[in-house]
Amino acid sequence: MDAKSGARERFESSRAGLVELSHRIHAHPELGFEEEKASAWLCESLADVGFSVEKGVGGLPTAFRARAGSGPLHIGICAEYDCLPGIGHACGHNIIAASAVGAALAAAKVADEVGLTVNVIGTPAEEVGNAGGKILLLERGAFEGIHAAMMVHPAPFDMLRAKIIAASMFEVHYTGKESHASAFPELGVNAADAITIAQTALGLLRQHIRSTDRIHGIVTNGGAAPNVIPAHTSAKYIVRSGTLEQLAELRPKVHRCFEAGALATGSKVVITGGDKPYAEMRHHEAMAAIYRSNSEALGRPFPNLGEWETRPTGSTDMGNVSLAIPSIHPMIGINSLPAVNHQPEFTAHCVTPDADKALEDAALAMAWTCIDLATNAEVGESLIARA
Ligand SMILES: [Zn+2]
Ligand SMILES: [Zn+2]
């Protein structure tokens, strides 16, 4: 039996358990850095199939690194498993997690035969928007020795190289002064007005930014009562741009809009976070081409998506990994349209038969890509030589 058939057979024997794992994570959504159950279940699944598991890597309690095989090419398969506040697994990270385990156990079956060391890196908190798990794990050495990294992310449709842009999430806090809103309004300093002014300035700024830039946010505290002048207000905002470099140009302009709110109202403003932004994704061309042919061999071609091929999508801390280590981040379709990521309708789609099939195809396409990287002397050796 050839290596790919061996990997497939190994996957098949675990398929039911992996689907159950995906559904279990989906049924117990956990926010970033709080993914205790998911992390424990993933570690347990990998230990059960012979991986050596190190929990809590990089000082992050819900991170882990699991390893099998002893070949010269070290691949890191990234697992994400955090959810979104209020809408559960609306980004399908249950599928990412289960497909990472599936890919790893399938590739591990033939690892020594083809020359692979297979790692699963459990990366918490992708949805937090600043200082995500992968950024902290990169800084703290948890990707040490990895020659190439990969993961597959659910989406409405298959897309090999989504235009993933840089992003920075930060918090804004205004402090004014309380007063009776009717009897003594002249004694108050209105911190809610500061947010209104900032949002107006941001609206005007939109004329002067790139069409691919994004500015979006929420008010997290707008005041306590209509008859008390709000003295403490806050907001969370995300700024995105094509690259980290473009983001660095845009951010000060956005910050000035928030400063304008403070200036006009006489309140004080403090901006926190945004210090560890998500980088743009740099897709490794040779790895992406190999993944494409494996996906096609599984009967999952990449359709021509027209404008979707070039328009900006979201952001991920896998972008930071991709700038450090050759990486791919294909999107796998779960046939959810009109439902799209970050909608409760998408949450519901992440445990359908289409989602389970995506888990299977993602796992096998990644496992087969690992095998090809190890056996394709040219690409494999260039990855090892690069490190
Ligand atoms: Zn998401
Ligand atoms: Zn996601």
Side-chain angles (χ1 to χ4, degrees):
M1 190 186 295
D2 69 8
K4 286 188 181 177
S5 305
R8 181 175 217 159
E9 198 178 86
R10 180 68 193 83
F11 175 86
E12 291 300 338
S13 68
S14 291
R15 189 187 192 281
L18 291 163
V19 168
E20 190 276 326
L21 175 65
S22 168
H23 291 207
R24 200 179 344 146
I25 293 171
H26 186 275
H28 298 87
E30 298 167 297
L31 291 170
F33 296 120
E34 298 172 10
E35 314 96 326
E36 287 165 26
K37 290 191 182 78
S39 172
W41 293 333
L42 292 164
C43 289
E44 199 178 277
S45 303
L46 288 160
D48 281 351
V49 295
F51 278 69
S52 65
V53 180
E54 190 186 344
K55 295 183 183 181
V57 290
L60 303 179
T62 57
F64 65 86
R65 183 165 162 172
R67 184 174 305 142
S70 55
L73 180 65
H74 293 242
I75 306 272
I77 301 170
C78 293
E80 294 174 1
Y81 31 85
D82 59 326
C83 75
L84 287 151
I87 50 174
H89 276 291
C91 211
H93 292 189
N94 57 303
I95 299 166
I96 301 176
S99 66
V101 174
L105 67 84
K109 168 79 179 165
V110 296
D112 287 339
E113 175 189 329
V114 298
L116 271 177
T117 299
V118 183
N119 296 268
V120 179
I121 303 176
T123 63
E126 187 278 330
E127 294 286 1
V128 298
N130 181 64
K134 294 184 201 66
I135 296 174
L136 301 176
L137 291 173
L138 272 171
E139 281 179 0
R140 298 172 187 183
F143 281 84
E144 207 70 45
I146 300 291
H147 299 125
M150 64 179 74
M151 60 173 281
V152 172
H153 197 299
F157 34 71
D158 292 270
M159 193 167 14
L160 186 60
R161 287 165 300 191
K163 186 174 167 58
I164 289 167
I165 59 178
S168 163
M169 198 279 286
F170 57 90
E171 293 184 29
V172 182
H173 302 280
Y174 288 108
T175 306
K177 187 164 179 51
E178 295 90 344
S179 186
H180 194 294
S182 173
F184 307 104
E186 70 278 15
L187 299 181
V189 174
N190 196 321
D193 288 352
I195 292 188
T196 303
I197 287 160
Q199 288 175 326
T200 305
L202 288 172
L204 294 169
L205 176 64
R206 292 183 197 279
Q207 185 185 352
H208 306 286
I209 61 177
R210 294 178 183 88
S211 63
T212 48
D213 290 341
R214 300 281 188 269
I215 305 166
H216 49 95
I218 57 166
V219 175
T220 49
N221 179 12
N227 57 355
V228 179
I229 300 290
H232 301 280
T233 59
S234 38
K236 276 189 186 179
Y237 264 75
I238 300 181
V239 184
R240 309 190 199 226
S241 203
T243 61
L244 281 177
E245 203 176 319
Q246 291 179 353
L247 187 66
E249 289 169 23
L250 179 60
R251 261 191 68 179
K253 297 178 186 174
V254 170
H255 282 201
R256 283 201 294 275
C257 294
F258 287 101
E259 286 158 12
L263 182 67
T265 56
S267 55
K268 299 241 179 322
V269 64
V270 175
I271 297 178
T272 59
D275 52 328
K276 294 183 194 294
Y278 288 15
E280 68 275 16
M281 181 79 204
R282 185 186 294 159
H283 305 277
H284 188 271
E285 288 300 326
M287 282 173 69
I290 290 170
Y291 183 90
R292 175 197 286 277
S293 61
N294 283 315
S295 182
E296 286 168 355
L298 289 163
R300 185 182 279 271
F302 289 93
N304 185 337
L305 294 168
E307 65 136 353
W308 279 101
E309 305 272 348
T310 50
R311 80 178 246 180
T313 59
S315 311
T316 167
D317 51 6
M318 191 65 184
N320 302 68
V321 175
S322 79
L323 297 191
I325 300 166
S327 301
I328 53 169
H329 183 283
M331 313 298 287
I332 194 152
I334 63 166
N335 195 26
S336 62
L337 285 175
V340 298
N341 300 58
H342 293 200
Q343 289 182 323
E345 294 82 359
F346 194 86
T347 310
H349 270 279
C350 287
V351 284
T352 55
D354 282 322
D356 300 342
K357 182 75 173 96
L359 183 178
E360 173 178 344
D361 290 347
L364 285 174
M366 283 196 282
W368 287 1
T369 298
C370 291
I371 293 168
D372 283 336
L373 291 174
T375 52
N376 176 326
E378 198 186 326
V379 180
E381 278 163 25
S382 79
L383 292 171
I384 293 171
R386 202 189 150 279

